[in-house]
Amino acid sequence: AQAGFGSKQARTTQPHCSQSRSAMSSRRMGSIMARAATFLLLLLPFIASPVAGLTFDASAAKNRPVSKVITLLKDMMKQLEKEQEDDEEIYDKMACWCETNDKEKTKSIAEAEARIGDLTNKIEELTATSALLNTEIKNHEKEVAKNQDSLDKATALREKQLAEFNAEEKDLLESI
C-alpha cells in the first residue's frame, strides 16, 4: 500500500506529468498580465495627471521615472517569456521521460509477472519429477540390495560346488 516510484499514485501527483503545457502557460501568462495591469493601474494617476502648459518632450519622457518603470516592466515581460519558453522545453523533456519511463516500467512489470508464473510452474513440475525420481531411486536401491543378496548366495553356492568338485577330482585322481 506504499506509493512507490512507478505506482499510479506517484504518477498522478507529479505536476510535470499530469498538467498540460497549455494550462501551465495560460496560468503563468495570466499571472504576469495581472501583475502588470495592477502595476499600471497604480501608476495611472501619475501618468495621466493633467498638467497645464506641458509639451511632449521625447528625451524628457525617457528620463521620467514612469518611463523607466515601463521599460523595466517590458524587460521583465521579455525575460518572463524567455523563461516560459525554457520551462516549456523542460516540461516537454520531462513529459517525454514520464511517458517513456511509464511504458518501460509497465512492460518490465508484465514481463516479470509472466516470468514469475512460468518459474512457479517449472518449480512445481521439477518438484514432482524430483519426488518421482526419489521413489525410483529407493526402488532401485532395494532391487540392487536384493540382487546383491542373490549374487552373494550364488557366489557361496559356486564356491561350495567348486570345493566339492575339487575334492571329487582329487579323489578320482588318487584312485587312478
Side-chain angles (χ1 to χ4, degrees), residues 22-36 77 80-82 84-85 88:
S22 61
M24 287 178 59
S25 298
S26 56
R27 274 198 303 249
R28 188 166 189 168
M29 285 304 291
S31 173
I32 292 169
M33 296 302 285
R35 286 188 212 150
M77 190 72 137
L80 288 173
E81 287 173 355
K82 182 183 178 290
Q84 178 183 2
E85 289 173 7
E88 288 175 359

Side-chain angles (χ1 to χ4, degrees), residues 53-175:
L54 287 180
T55 60
F56 182 73
D57 183 16
S59 64
K62 289 183 180 177
N63 293 330
R64 288 187 186 161
V66 172
S67 298
K68 290 180 182 178
V69 169
I70 291 172
T71 304
L72 286 173
L73 284 173
K74 288 180 181 178
D75 290 343
M76 185 187 312
M77 190 72 137
K78 288 177 186 175
Q79 182 180 0
L80 288 173
E81 287 173 355
K82 182 183 178 290
E83 288 177 3
Q84 178 183 2
E85 289 173 7
D86 293 343
D87 287 348
E88 288 175 359
E89 183 180 324
I90 291 171
Y91 174 82
D92 289 341
K93 288 179 183 176
M94 291 302 292
C96 178
W97 180 84
C98 287
E99 291 172 11
T100 303
N101 193 37
D102 183 44
K103 289 176 185 174
E104 288 175 1
K105 295 298 178 190
T106 303
K107 181 181 176 186
S108 295
I109 289 170
E111 288 173 356
E113 287 175 347
R115 182 155 167 81
I116 288 171
D118 292 343
L119 291 175
T120 302
N121 291 338
K122 187 71 170 179
I123 288 171
E124 290 173 359
E125 179 183 317
L126 292 175
T127 302
T129 303
S130 175
L132 178 67
L133 291 175
N134 283 335
T135 303
E136 287 181 14
I137 287 171
K138 288 179 184 175
N139 290 339
H140 289 303
E141 286 174 348
K142 288 178 185 177
E143 190 175 325
V144 166
K146 181 180 171 185
N147 289 340
Q148 185 64 39
D149 187 43
S150 296
L151 180 64
D152 291 342
K153 288 179 183 177
T155 303
L157 179 64
R158 298 296 178 252
E159 287 175 358
K160 180 182 170 189
Q161 288 174 347
L162 179 63
E164 289 175 1
F165 173 77
N166 285 339
E168 189 177 320
E169 182 182 23
K170 187 179 178 185
D171 285 340
L172 288 174
L173 285 176
E174 285 179 8
S175 61

